Amino acid sequence: MANPEAVAACIKSLSNTTFVAEVTAPALAVLVPLLNRALNDRSMEVQRRTVIVIDNLVKLVRDPKVAARYLSGLVDGVDKIMQGASFPEVRAFAAAAHATLLKAGASSGAPPPQPRDLASETQECVRQMVPFLPPSLFTSVEPLRPFHPLFSLSLEFSGELVADLVQSRKYDKADAWKRCVGTCLSPWMSVYGGSEDKDGGEVSETIRTHFHALYKAQFAPKSNGSSEEGEVLCETLFSLAYGALLLLSHTTLRLIRGRRYGILGPNGSGKSTLLRAIRDGKVEDFPPQDVLRAIMVEHALQGEDRSLSIIDFIAAG
């Protein structure tokens, strides 16, 4: 951002980036100012790349509130290119990006989104946390009555911190959950609740796992009614893009042990990109290599590799 001459190179690099997960608020806070500057670049090629990247990025934004807050600033710039670009191709790409922005919830004229209702979020987080805490810390659960006013303050403070973690979807940050839950509540649990979890690490991990499960349940793949039998190795919902090309959007991947699967598609449709993403562990919620080993054998091998049998090649790599 401090060097405008680097905008074109940055947009080119961004267009060659593989996006495999949901685009969240922190990423948009960094990207939107860069994209806004690129939309005002004089180069038609930069504008073309930018509107294509915007079109694909927005498709990976799941939360309409995040879209309204962070993406609305792009609408006017994309509309300007859609109306005034010299090349019809660029105008068409801009029109597609503009439609995607509006569909996601962005708008140049709408009022700003409503602020968070932190009190309600905190209350709901506390309600979800209570079943995992020692019962002796409460004189009543319905309605909720903590046994001591000071514990009530600690629980509410911890609930506010958890609400922030849930809002930012930091479900993989176990240390943050331990600080927000264990540090606040472990003294009460060990002294008054009879808990042997001295530092609150166990209850923090249990609560983190619970909230993560609630989040994933919102986007859980729907059953197709199939009577398939066998162990389910993978069942996940994910998105995959290669820079300016969106390959898969909120797609269900379900794999059954013992079955064989084929991927059909024309050249350039992303078959190899998907397989590389699976091999490299970039598909959201795909089992890690120590649980499910994923190997990809490239179809274009170097001359020295052709001398190896398929078994020797896999064993060597």
Side-chain angles (χ1 to χ4, degrees):
M1 292 301 295
N3 183 11
E5 296 178 356
V7 170
C10 187
I11 292 296
K12 184 177 180 180
S13 298
L14 189 61
S15 67
N16 292 325
T17 300
T18 302
F19 302 100
V20 296
E22 177 187 4
V23 178
T24 56
L28 292 175
V30 175
L31 289 174
V32 167
L34 172 67
L35 295 172
N36 260 322
R37 175 166 288 184
L39 289 173
N40 293 313
D41 195 277
R42 294 182 179 179
S43 169
M44 195 62 60
E45 176 62 20
V46 172
Q47 293 182 9
R48 185 185 72 84
R49 288 180 180 270
T50 303
V51 293
I52 294 175
V53 169
I54 290 174
D55 187 25
N56 287 286
L57 276 177
V58 174
K59 292 175 182 177
L60 298 176
V61 178
R62 292 179 181 172
D63 192 338
K65 294 181 180 179
V66 171
R69 182 176 297 276
Y70 290 94
L71 297 176
S72 294
L74 297 174
V75 174
D76 287 340
V78 173
D79 181 72
K80 181 179 178 181
I81 294 176
M82 181 179 68
Q83 301 294 339
S86 302
F87 297 110
E89 180 192 29
V90 178
R91 293 199 299 270
F93 285 136
H98 190 267
T100 304
L101 283 166
L102 297 181
K103 183 178 180 180
S107 174
S108 60
Q114 293 294 322
R116 291 173 55 192
D117 186 352
L118 187 57
S120 297
E121 293 178 20
T122 301
Q123 185 179 11
E124 176 60 21
C125 287
V126 169
R127 188 182 71 82
Q128 295 289 343
M129 294 163 60
V130 166
F132 303 102
L133 302 177
S136 58
L137 296 177
F138 305 93
T139 59
S140 171
V141 176
E142 292 291 344
L144 185 63
R145 290 194 181 97
F147 83 105
H148 195 281
L150 291 179
F151 172 66
S152 179
L153 292 176
S154 296
L155 181 60
E156 182 179 359
F157 179 66
S158 179
E160 289 182 2
L161 298 178
V162 169
D164 284 338
L165 291 175
V166 171
Q167 172 70 17
S168 56
R169 297 178 186 147
K170 294 182 178 179
Y171 300 107
D172 58 336
K173 307 294 185 182
D175 290 342
W177 284 82
K178 184 176 180 181
R179 291 193 301 270
C180 295
V181 178
T183 302
C184 294
L185 303 181
S186 59
W188 296 99
M189 292 190 299
S190 59
V191 176
Y192 299 99
S195 173
E196 297 181 358
D197 186 12
K198 300 299 182 182
D199 62 354
E202 293 180 10
V203 71
S204 300
E205 180 61 19
T206 301
I207 290 175
R208 181 192 71 83
T209 303
H210 173 70
F211 277 97
H212 194 192
L214 291 177
Y215 171 72
K216 289 193 292 185
Q218 301 177 42
F219 309 101
K222 297 181 180 179
S223 175
N224 57 9
S226 173
S227 59
E228 290 178 318
E229 296 182 356
E231 179 186 355
V232 178
L233 297 174
C234 170
E235 186 168 10
T236 183
L237 188 74
F238 73 103
S239 298
L240 177 68
Y242 184 75
L245 177 64
L246 182 68
L247 305 177
L248 300 168
S249 177
H250 302 123
T251 301
T252 299
L253 175 63
R254 177 181 170 90
L255 302 177
I256 307 295
R257 183 181 295 278
R259 293 182 176 268
R260 296 181 180 180
Y261 299 89
I263 303 176
L264 302 180
N267 291 339
S269 62
K271 302 183 299 296
S272 298
T273 301
L274 171 60
L275 293 176
R276 291 191 188 96
I278 293 175
R279 177 197 64 190
D280 298 338
K282 294 182 177 180
V283 172
E284 190 173 3
D285 292 329
F286 191 87
Q289 286 280 4
D290 58 348
V291 175
L292 179 60
R293 189 178 182 189
I295 299 173
M296 178 181 176
V297 181
E298 297 279 359
H299 66 276
L301 303 178
Q302 298 297 325
E304 60 269 21
D305 293 330
R306 292 194 180 100
S307 63
L308 299 175
S309 68
I310 208 69
I311 295 177
D312 292 337
F313 178 80
I314 294 176

